[in-house]
């Protein structure tokens, strides 16, 4: 009985995987392709993920009642912290990515991948299209710990893929437990200047803040060769001070000699298998876009329905490459829909009551402080 | 035009707040001062209050507040009509909630209620007018601060009215900083007071500035003898740290309330009514006030079990939603509410005995837990957790860890149990035991945060018996 189920599951998943791969190979897949694949994937995930099935039923949705990808129930990312979401039982996972932040039970959100084939393929196509833009592999330095030191970080895996597929030999991570290896990085940057070959600097946004401060203090400036580029991701998340985007990109541009148009911000999350990018940060705020198998909506959190165009709402993403987990995700990010993508406006802020009632966040903060302190 | 100033105030500008809630946009202009202007205004109000209020008997001041409150209770009075028309736009509360809230608030400011308010703190309120004999001998007189500064927060109409009454009854010159979320009622009420009792006209100023940044705020903090502030602990700490060491500070922090429903209230005949009362406490003012319950402990053993009570409550909240729709929420509020619901649902999937009910478009949300759990807030805006307990006596231990955050408890229980529960809840820091259904309308003389509303503001001058006795030695009639 169990064997039969597994065969059925494998068969369906393999067929869907083949269709996603075919879509990835199509230059401009049409709306109908996305929609029908999204609905079939929803049916698959509904059948094989008990938590998602219960969740969808609670929202009154099931595959027979859903007519468009926009009606597929989205899973709030907070649910990954409480539940085993996804079609892969934890003991069958080839790889587990974990979110930052813990829950009541001290557990981090977990995303179980049976295989990273689709993740890797989606990453390579998106990175090539939005960041490499036709350029040949180039020398790269990564400002983030490597995969060996952070095996549960989806970003470490993403950056490892970038090095493996788009970096020339010698490209590597220049951040270890002690932080950025600045002498090595400076040497690599000076080497690039001397070689005249384009260079790519990739890393966490917060790591760039510290680096810029240190380089400024040393009076170091670079004029990286034409075609050099920078990718930052993840925002500052309390790891460094907040820097307004216009200041951040102006400083990157000035320090490394890379035009803001080639300073690309990647917006990704552990709970997805594909990423969004902007077209450089010359004009702010930049529009974020993804590959055709990744679509977004801006919704009213109370109703889950799309807000009118131009109105801010909460971003929901639908990633067909996230086939083995769950494709429809509700984020905690605020966005506004644009014709060619969306503007990312930041995190949904915490709320204080308009009166004197205690709100949850303040309660948690107060509860962490011993009474009377 | 909002706020209130005495006639011929120092030079000042205006600060405009815009509101769009509920349709027609509304602009409110409030007086705004620079540091020198604020200092001058503070001095002007302080001097006027000392001269005028100092000479007015407290009962005459109470009579003026009563006369103003009577007008606000008159639904035909132009100001009452203005309040009913504009406060829903500014606060987003629906018109009916505002109407009921105004009446409930101003009922507390009539003369008998004000006298009760005074009697709650002073054995002889005449000690605000002059020296009065003390039972142990000697005499005592109470002095209010010459200048009292209120820093109001939030949008629950009525909070500033309590503050104005508190200050006037202890004869303090008053400057009130209104919240941008409800900048109107305080100024109107001050204007009305000046109209019914012109002697009060120069003793009040109602204005607004950007908290935390404005040099005018430093000037106001410097000038005030006492500061009464509302807000989160971070806001209160920031204010307290900026006050001169000798300035008295009374902070009202954000708090949480809860309710207890006994098995005696969960009979077949009573359970639905109890749920209706709880729904009223939850829906009125959308739990923005700290007296509204965020968790309800329901006791097993009645004919209606706690899970069924939770369903009754859901039905009552659905009915309330139909009669009084919730005000429009900001994106952050909406996301917080939806996020709370999602979290409760996720827990319900893995923990047996939990369930979540919510209305269309999340107009209300009830989370039910079949086993005892410690107090935790819901997400406001008509969200609540119902927790089943074998005995209500367990509740005190479940709220005790949050002693510094507790406000009130609504209790529906028979008399003997009410008293026993009050004893246990009071011991862990609860300061108000209210009737279910009346949690959002505290009674006149209520000791907010368990403190003395008026006594906290005054200082006493005492004439010791020995001083009196010694004075006799120097009397012309002395032997």
């Amino acid at each position: 009985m169990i064997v039969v189920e597994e065969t059925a599951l494998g068969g369906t998943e393999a067929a869907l995987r083949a269709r996603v791969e075919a879509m990835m190979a199509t230059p401009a897949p049409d709306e109908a392709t996305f929609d029908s694949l999204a609905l079939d994937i929803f049916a698959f995930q509904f059948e094989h993920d008990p938590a998602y099935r219960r969740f969808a039923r609670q929202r009154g949705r099931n595959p027979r009642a859903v007519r468009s990808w926009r009606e597929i129930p989205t899973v709030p990312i907070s649910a990954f912290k409480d539940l085993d979401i996804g079609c892969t039982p934890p003991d069958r996972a080839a790889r587990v990515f974990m979110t930052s932040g813990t829950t009541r039970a001290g557990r981090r959100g977990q995303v179980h991948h049976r295989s990273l084939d689709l993740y890797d393929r989606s990453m390579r196509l998106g990175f090539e299209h939005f960041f490499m833009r036709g350029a040949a592999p180039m020398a790269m330095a990564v400002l983030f710990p490597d995969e060996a030191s952070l095996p549960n970080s989806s970003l470490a895996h993403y950056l490892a893929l970038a090095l493996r597929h788009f970096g020339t030999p010698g490209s590597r991570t220049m951040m270890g437990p002690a932080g950025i290896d600045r002498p090595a990085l400076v040497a690599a940057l000076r080497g690039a200047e001397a070689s005249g070959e384009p260079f790519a600097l990739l890393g966490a946004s917060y790591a760039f803040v510290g680096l810029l401060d240190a380089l400024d203090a040393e009076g170091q400036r670079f004029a990286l060769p034409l075609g050099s580029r920078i990718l930052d991701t993840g925002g500052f998340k309390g790891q460094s001070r907040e820097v307004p985007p216009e200041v951040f990109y102006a400083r990157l541009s000035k320090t490394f000699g890379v035009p803001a148009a080639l300073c690309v911000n990647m917006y990704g999350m552990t709970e997805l298998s594909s990423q969004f990018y902007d077209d450089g940060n010359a004009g702010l705020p930049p529009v974020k876009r993804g590959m055709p198998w990744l679509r977004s909506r801006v919704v009213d959190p109370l109703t889950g329905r799309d807000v009118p165009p131009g109105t801010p709402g909460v971003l929901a993403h639908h990633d067909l490459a996230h086939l083995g987990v769950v494709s429809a995700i509700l984020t905690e990010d605020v966005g506004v829909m644009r014709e060619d993508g969306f503007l990312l406006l930041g995190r949904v802020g915490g709320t204080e009551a308009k009166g004197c009632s205690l709100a949850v966040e303040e309660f948690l903060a107060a509860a962490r402080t011993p009474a009377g302190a | 035009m909002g706020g209130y100033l005495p006639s011929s105030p120092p030079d000042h500008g205006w600060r405009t707040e815009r509101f769009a809630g509920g349709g027609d946009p509304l602009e409110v202009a409030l007086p705004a001062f620079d540091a020198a202007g604020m200092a001058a205004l503070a001095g002007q109000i302080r001097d006027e209050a000392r001269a005028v209020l100092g000479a007015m008997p407290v009962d005459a001041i109470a009579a003026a507040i009563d006369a103003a409150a009577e007008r606000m209770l008159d639904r035909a009075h132009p100001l009452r009509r203005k309040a009913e028309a504009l406060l829903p736009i500014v606060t987003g509360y629906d018109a009916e909630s505002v109407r009921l809230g105004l009446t409930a608030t101003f009922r507390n400011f009539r003369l008998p209620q004000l006298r009760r308010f005074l009697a709650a703190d002073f054995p002889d309120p005449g000690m605000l007018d002059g020296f009065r004999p003390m039972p142990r001998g000697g005499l005592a007189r109470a002095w209010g601060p010459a200048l009292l500064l209120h820093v109001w927060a939030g949008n629950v109409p009525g909070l500033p009215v309590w503050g104005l009454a508190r200050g006037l009854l202890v004869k303090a010159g008053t400057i009130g900083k209104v919240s941008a979320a409800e900048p109107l009622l305080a100024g109107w009420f001050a204007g009305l007071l000046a109209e019914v009792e012109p002697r009060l006209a120069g003793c009040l100023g109602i204005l607004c500035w950007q908290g935390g940044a404005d040099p005018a705020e430093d000037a106001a903090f410097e000038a005030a003898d006492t500061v009464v502030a509302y807000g989160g602990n971070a806001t209160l700490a920031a204010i307290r740290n900026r006050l001169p060491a000798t300035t008295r500070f009374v902070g009202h922090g954000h708090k949480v309330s809860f309710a207890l429903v006994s098995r005696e209230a969960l009979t077949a005949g009573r359970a639905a009514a109890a749920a209706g009362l709880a729904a009223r406490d939850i829906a009125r003012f959308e739990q923005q006030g700290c007296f509204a319950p965020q968790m309800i402990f329901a006791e097993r053993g009645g004919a209606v079990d706690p899970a069924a009570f939770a369903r009754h409550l859901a039905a009552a909240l659905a009915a309330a939603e139909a009669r009084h729709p919730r005000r429009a929420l900001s994106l952050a509020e909406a996301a917080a509410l939806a996020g709370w619901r999602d979290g409760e649902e996720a827990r319900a999937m893995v923990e047996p005995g939990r369930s979540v009910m919510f209305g269309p478009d999340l107009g209300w949300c009830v989370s039910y837990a079949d086993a005892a759990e410690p107090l935790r807030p819901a997400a406001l805006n008509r969200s609540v957790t119902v927790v089943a307990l074998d005995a209500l006596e367990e509740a005190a231990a479940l709220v005790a860890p949050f002693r510094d955050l507790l406000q009130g408890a609504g209790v529906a229980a028979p008399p003997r149990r009410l008293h026993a529960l009050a004893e246990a809840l009071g011991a862990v820091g609860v300061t108000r035991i209210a009737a279910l259904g009346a949690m959002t309308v505290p009674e006149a003389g209520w000791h907010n945060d368990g403190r003395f509303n008026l006594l906290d503001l005054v200082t006493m001058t005492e004439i010791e018996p020995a001083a009196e006795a010694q004075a006799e030695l120097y009397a012309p009639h002395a032997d």
Side-chain angles (χ1 to χ4, degrees), chain A residues 79-348:
Chain A
F80 285 91
K81 295 189 177 133
D82 287 306
L83 305 174
D84 287 324
I85 301 270
C87 307
T88 304
D91 58 350
R92 303 285 303 271
R95 192 69 177 265
V96 182
F97 289 145
M98 293 192 190
T99 61
S100 48
T102 53
T103 56
R104 290 177 267 269
R107 197 186 110 138
R108 286 162 76 191
Q110 304 197 349
V111 182
H112 301 279
H113 290 270
R114 189 187 294 254
S115 141
L116 286 177
D117 289 355
L118 279 181
Y119 183 102
D120 292 0
R121 189 184 290 246
S122 177
M123 181 278 165
R124 286 171 65 178
L125 291 166
F127 191 85
E128 190 165 31
H129 182 82
F130 291 108
F131 186 68
M132 298 306 288
R133 307 179 193 174
M138 59 182 76
M140 289 183 174
V142 165
L143 307 180
F144 196 74
D146 66 15
E147 241 184 326
S149 31
L150 292 180
N152 297 122
S153 161
S154 57
L155 180 57
H157 178 66
Y158 170 97
L159 292 166
L161 291 174
L163 287 175
R164 191 179 314 149
H165 298 288
F166 302 97
T168 51
S171 296
R172 65 183 182 94
T173 284
M174 296 204 178
M175 191 172 181
I180 295 173
D181 180 354
R182 215 161 59 250
L185 177 63
V186 169
L189 292 165
R190 294 290 174 217
E193 280 178 317
S195 74
E197 297 294 325
F199 189 88
L201 201 48
L202 298 84
S205 312
Y206 69 82
F208 280 102
V209 175
L211 176 63
L212 288 167
D213 289 348
L215 294 175
D216 270 4
E218 293 168 1
Q220 300 255 29
R221 289 268 185 96
F222 305 88
L224 289 175
L226 195 69
S228 296
R229 58 203 68 201
I230 293 175
L231 180 138
D232 79 284
T233 186
F236 307 110
K237 279 186 192 159
Q239 302 249 28
S240 73
R241 65 179 189 281
E242 293 282 331
V243 184
E246 63 278 11
V247 174
F248 181 68
Y249 291 107
R251 287 187 70 192
L252 279 182
S253 196
K254 199 170 83 177
T255 302
F256 297 108
V258 172
L262 282 171
C263 294
V264 173
N265 176 265
M266 184 274 276
Y267 163 57
M269 45 211 304
T270 306
E271 298 86 350
L272 290 177
S273 287
S274 307
Q275 299 80 29
F276 299 92
Y277 300 82
D278 53 38
D279 188 16
N281 280 267
L284 290 167
V287 172
K288 295 273 191 284
R289 292 172 301 157
M291 296 300 276
W293 51 92
L294 178 59
R295 297 206 167 197
S296 301
R297 300 193 293 132
V298 174
V299 304
D300 175 346
L302 296 179
T303 64
R305 289 190 288 269
D306 292 19
V307 298
T311 311
V314 175
L315 281 162
H317 303 307
H318 202 108
D319 182 7
L320 301 184
H322 216 38
L323 167 65
V325 187
V326 64
S327 288
I329 296 289
L330 181 67
T331 72
E332 291 167 355
D333 298 319
V334 181
V336 175
M337 221 55 212
R338 285 293 151 92
E339 209 140 277
D340 51 348
F342 58 86
L343 301 182
L344 182 62
L345 303 183
R347 301 270 291 177
V348 176

Side-chain angles (χ1 to χ4, degrees), chain B residues 274-471:
Chain B
L277 293 171
R280 182 189 297 174
D281 288 335
I282 291 163
R284 186 175 290 175
F285 300 130
E286 323 292 7
Q287 294 165 305
Q288 301 294 312
C290 49
F291 30 53
Q294 300 205 48
M295 187 176 255
I296 299 177
F297 296 101
E299 191 175 41
R300 290 197 179 89
V304 173
D305 67 16
F309 172 73
R311 290 193 293 275
H312 277 299
L313 180 59
L317 286 169
E321 167 78 358
R323 281 197 311 275
H324 308 299
R326 184 179 57 210
R327 73 193 171 89
L329 302 186
S330 72
L331 182 56
E333 288 173 316
L337 177 59
W340 181 79
R341 185 266 319 263
D342 295 342
E344 295 298 296
E345 273 189 329
R347 287 183 77 174
M349 287 188 202
V350 288
E351 297 175 27
R354 268 182 201 282
S355 55
V356 185
M357 294 169 274
F358 53 89
D361 297 353
L362 208 44
W364 52 269
C365 185
V366 177
S367 178
Y368 173 72
D370 208 28
E373 64 176 46
L375 179 69
R376 63 196 166 93
L380 310 180
N381 297 308
R382 306 194 187 185
S383 62
V384 70
T385 309
V386 174
V387 176
L389 295 184
D390 291 333
L392 286 186
E393 286 68 22
E394 297 165 46
L398 296 171
V399 304
F402 311 105
R403 167 175 205 111
D404 293 341
L405 304 171
L406 300 179
Q407 175 71 271
V411 178
R416 214 176 270 284
R417 298 192 69 196
L418 171 72
H419 292 288
L421 288 166
E423 180 77 22
L425 294 172
V428 299
V430 173
T431 59
R432 175 175 174 244
I433 305 294
L436 201 63
M439 292 183 73
T440 63
V441 281
E443 288 187 13
W446 169 53
H447 288 118
N448 187 5
D449 290 349
R451 303 289 317 182
F452 289 90
N453 295 298
L454 302 176
L455 270 183
D456 269 356
L457 302 180
V458 302
T459 50
M460 293 289 183
T461 302
E462 295 180 353
I463 303 176
E464 298 200 344
E468 263 191 296
Q470 193 176 55

Side-chain angles (χ1 to χ4, degrees), chain A residues 59 354 356-358 360 362, chain B residues 154-155 254 287-290 345:
Chain A
R59 297 293 153 84
K354 297 217 163 156
C356 48
S357 258
L358 194 75
V360 176
E362 211 186 335
Chain B
N155 71 352
H254 291 168
Q287 294 165 305
Q288 301 294 312
C290 49
E345 273 189 329

